[in-house]
Amino acid sequence: MQTTGNLGLKKPEGTDIVNIEDINDNMDILDTEIPKKVDKITGKGLSTEDYTTVEKNKLSGIVAGANNYTHPTNHPPSIISQDANNRFVTDAEKTAWNGKATLENVLMRFSGALNTTGTLDWNHSTNAQPGFSPTLLYGDATNGPSSAGAGHTYYHCYAVEYGNLKDGSGNITQFAIPYRVTSSTSDIYWRSRYTGAWDAWIKMPNMDDATKSNITLGLPGLFDNYDGDATFSSSSSFPRVFMRYRNLTINSGVTVNCTAGTIIIITGTLTLNGAISANGLGGQGSEPMDKAGGGAGGNGGGVVIILASKIVGSGSIRANGTNGANGVVPVGNSTPTNANGGSLFNPSILIPGGGTNNYNQKASANLDVITRIANQLYLWLNSDVVNSPSAFKGGGAGGAGRSVTNATDSYFSYGSCGGAGVGGDSGLGGRMASGFYSGVKYSFGGSGGGGGLIYLYSSSPIPALTLEAKGANGGTYYSEAVGSGPVGIGGSGGGGGLIYIISPSHSISTNVTGGIAGTSALGAGTSVAPTNGSAGVVISKTI
């Protein structure tokens, strides 16, 4: 008897006796197993995996649509991991990288301008970066060097910067270099920006300036003493005839007196809020003969020559004559006496006259002083006369007055003349007619000294300084009245000086008035009063 492999059904062989029970057993087995089978459907196969009730219940618990997933278009950056080879880049970083100059651009910035159509403002960032601006700029463009003298012509704009970034954000020194060098456009200008604030433009001095104004700035051996930076906080005097500073400051309320005449070279900035004085340093006034009572003549004003790169402040420079002295009680008879002239440069060339003892012969200003002063300055600086301080004098001195202790009716009296200024003639002396003064004692006033010389050069505009080279006043007479009343002659006035200014522009106030004659009491007859000094001269040249 054999059986089937799956259900174990009995299979009688040919020699076996058929047993009805075996058939019934087979039927029972089939009846039990057949319902467990799934009918085969065409086009569908049966899984080899068993599907359990547990799995069925699990699927039944899933919410409808739970598997309806849509992938997002964008993801937040936070879900992306970064490492040394994978980093995000910000817009600011991209802008900074894109703004970095290429080698070509760097070389181009050091090769000059490219056009004339860029930003026409000297302060703009494209014009205030290291190297050359890409744009040629006019000197009178916005914030340009026109304030220092530049005109409507093209300039290369070149800048250097302190700091590591070199992006125009640091401290800058900016230059305006002429695009074309001609006789009228040969000047270079420069300025600086420190902590965000621009300084004023300054014109660089050059040898052409020296030729135009006949100033020699590089004389060998003449300025060996270099005085560096100096500040005067209290009144004092310059120790030498020649002074050379890098920067010089004179504070408000401080007066610094010159020594004889003084030349001051400032290669940087002169900050002048106080005063520089050469008052009375010219020709020396005469004492009356035997000091018998007539007033002494006043001294002439001295010489001040200042050559500066830049001047700031609101101070003053003075080279005034000093007043003639008043007459005093006479102790003897005397005659007017001559006074010294104040020599300028080589004394054989330019000499303002000293006061004379001839009442109708005034002291004259040498016209060469006015017409040749610029041409003579370089000769002076190069001549042997620089070794002699006595040669550094300006205005002529006033003559002394006379005195009389016992006038007679026939005594004819006259006064002296004032000193000539560097720019103006002195006044005439007074004269008393003879007669009517018997027994009178009187003394004449001394005449005033002439104004001196101020020569001021600056390669940048000069602010509102005050410059004076005034002639001085004559002294007042003294008289002891007898009979017909007091009589006496005052001193005549000194002539005004000369102020010579060379700069791109200036706001200077000047005074070169002549001195006023002293008070006189002429009495009767043909007496003549002394006269005032003539006004001096102011010359201003633009560079």
Side-chain angles (χ1 to χ4, degrees):
M1 178 70 69
Q2 296 180 355
T3 59
T4 60
N6 291 322
L7 297 179
L9 299 179
K10 297 176 180 180
K11 295 172 45 180
E13 296 182 8
T15 59
D16 291 338
I17 297 173
V18 175
N19 188 345
I20 293 303
E21 291 180 1
D22 292 334
I23 295 172
N24 290 335
D25 290 340
N26 287 340
M27 293 299 179
D28 290 338
I29 293 170
L30 291 172
D31 185 62
T32 301
E33 297 297 330
I34 287 173
K36 297 179 181 180
K37 301 296 181 179
V38 177
D39 294 337
K40 181 177 180 181
I41 300 174
T42 302
K44 296 182 179 181
L46 296 177
S47 172
T48 58
E49 300 291 338
D50 292 333
Y51 181 66
T52 65
T53 301
V54 174
E55 291 171 334
K56 176 180 179 299
N57 293 337
K58 179 179 179 181
L59 290 175
S60 298
I62 297 175
V63 178
N67 198 34
N68 187 15
Y69 171 75
T70 302
H71 192 77
T73 303
N74 299 310
H75 294 280
S78 58
I79 71 171
I80 301 176
S81 299
Q82 300 183 61
D83 56 35
N85 297 316
N86 300 276
R87 296 289 184 193
F88 290 119
V89 177
T90 67
D91 289 345
E93 288 171 330
K94 289 175 62 178
T95 300
W97 291 343
N98 293 337
K100 296 294 183 181
T102 64
L103 177 60
E104 180 182 1
N105 290 336
V106 170
L107 294 176
M108 189 174 296
R109 281 200 65 86
F110 287 90
S111 301
L114 300 175
N115 55 61
T116 60
T117 58
T119 304
L120 306 182
D121 184 342
W122 287 80
N123 285 6
H124 191 266
S125 59
T126 58
N127 303 321
Q129 292 189 32
F132 283 97
S133 164
T135 306
L136 280 179
L137 298 172
Y138 282 121
D140 58 0
T142 303
N143 297 308
S146 58
S147 58
H152 191 68
T153 55
Y154 280 121
Y155 289 84
H156 285 285
C157 174
Y158 180 75
V160 293
E161 180 179 8
Y162 172 79
N164 295 325
L165 295 179
K166 306 301 182 187
D167 59 357
S169 62
N171 295 330
I172 292 280
T173 301
Q174 188 181 55
F175 298 86
I177 303 171
Y179 168 67
R180 182 184 179 193
V181 177
T182 67
S183 59
S184 60
T185 60
S186 61
D187 297 319
I188 297 175
Y189 302 87
W190 68 283
R191 64 173 181 165
S192 60
R193 186 186 69 197
Y194 183 73
T195 61
W198 286 101
D199 295 323
W201 284 98
I202 297 175
K203 185 176 80 67
M204 289 186 174
N206 56 50
M207 291 308 297
D208 190 43
D209 289 337
T211 302
K212 290 175 186 176
S213 55
N214 298 295
I215 297 174
T216 302
L217 296 177
L219 303 176
L222 184 58
F223 304 111
D224 288 341
N225 291 314
Y226 192 88
D227 300 287
D229 294 334
T231 297
F232 286 88
S233 299
S234 59
S235 295
S236 184
S237 298
F238 293 112
R240 300 188 311 276
V241 169
F242 296 100
M243 303 299 299
R244 185 183 181 195
Y245 298 99
R246 181 171 52 241
N247 295 293
L248 172 62
T249 299
I250 300 176
N251 291 335
S252 178
V254 172
T255 296
V256 182
N257 293 305
C258 297
T259 302
T262 298
I263 301 176
I264 306 170
I265 308 292
I266 302 104
T267 58
T269 300
L270 168 61
T271 303
L272 180 59
N273 289 305
I276 295 174
S277 175
N279 291 344
L281 294 178
Q284 298 301 295
S286 294
E287 292 286 343
M289 184 179 296
D290 300 323
K291 299 184 179 180
N299 296 339
V303 175
V304 183
I305 296 177
I306 297 175
L307 312 177
S309 175
K310 181 180 180 180
I311 302 175
V312 298
S314 57
S316 64
I317 305 171
R318 301 191 294 265
N320 300 322
T322 60
N323 295 336
N326 297 332
V328 295
V329 178
V331 295
N333 295 333
S334 69
T335 56
T337 52
N338 292 334
N340 298 322
S343 58
L344 278 174
F345 313 137
N346 187 321
S348 66
I349 298 175
L350 305 169
I351 306 175
T356 67
N357 60 6
N358 188 336
Y359 75 96
N360 62 356
Q361 182 180 343
K362 66 182 178 181
S364 298
N366 192 321
L367 293 180
D368 284 342
V369 176
I370 302 171
T371 59
R372 296 167 55 195
I373 184 170
N375 294 327
Q376 293 298 332
L377 180 58
Y378 78 97
L379 293 176
W380 177 37
L381 293 175
N382 282 286
S383 69
D384 292 337
V385 76
V386 299
N387 297 318
S388 173
S390 64
F392 291 76
K393 294 181 179 178
R402 70 170 303 162
S403 60
V404 176
T405 57
N406 187 12
T408 63
D409 289 345
S410 62
Y411 206 92
F412 184 87
S413 297
Y414 53 87
S416 63
C417 293
V422 177
D425 297 342
S426 74
L428 289 169
R431 181 189 69 183
M432 287 176 53
S434 60
F436 310 108
Y437 310 121
S438 178
V440 176
K441 293 181 179 181
Y442 55 83
S443 296
F444 291 178
S447 295
L453 164 69
I454 298 174
Y455 189 103
L456 183 61
Y457 172 94
S458 174
S459 56
S460 61
I462 304 176
L465 303 181
T466 299
L467 272 56
E468 295 180 354
K470 299 184 295 184
N473 301 333
T476 300
Y477 77 95
Y478 171 86
S479 176
E480 293 182 4
V482 176
S484 57
V487 292
I489 300 294
S492 62
L498 170 63
I499 295 176
Y500 203 106
I501 304 167
I502 301 175
S503 67
S505 63
H506 70 81
S507 302
I508 294 173
S509 173
T510 60
N511 189 339
V512 289
T513 55
I516 299 173
T519 302
S520 301
L522 301 179
T526 57
S527 298
V528 176
T531 61
N532 300 335
S534 299
V537 176
V538 176
I539 299 175
S540 181
K541 290 191 176 294
T542 301
I543 56 173

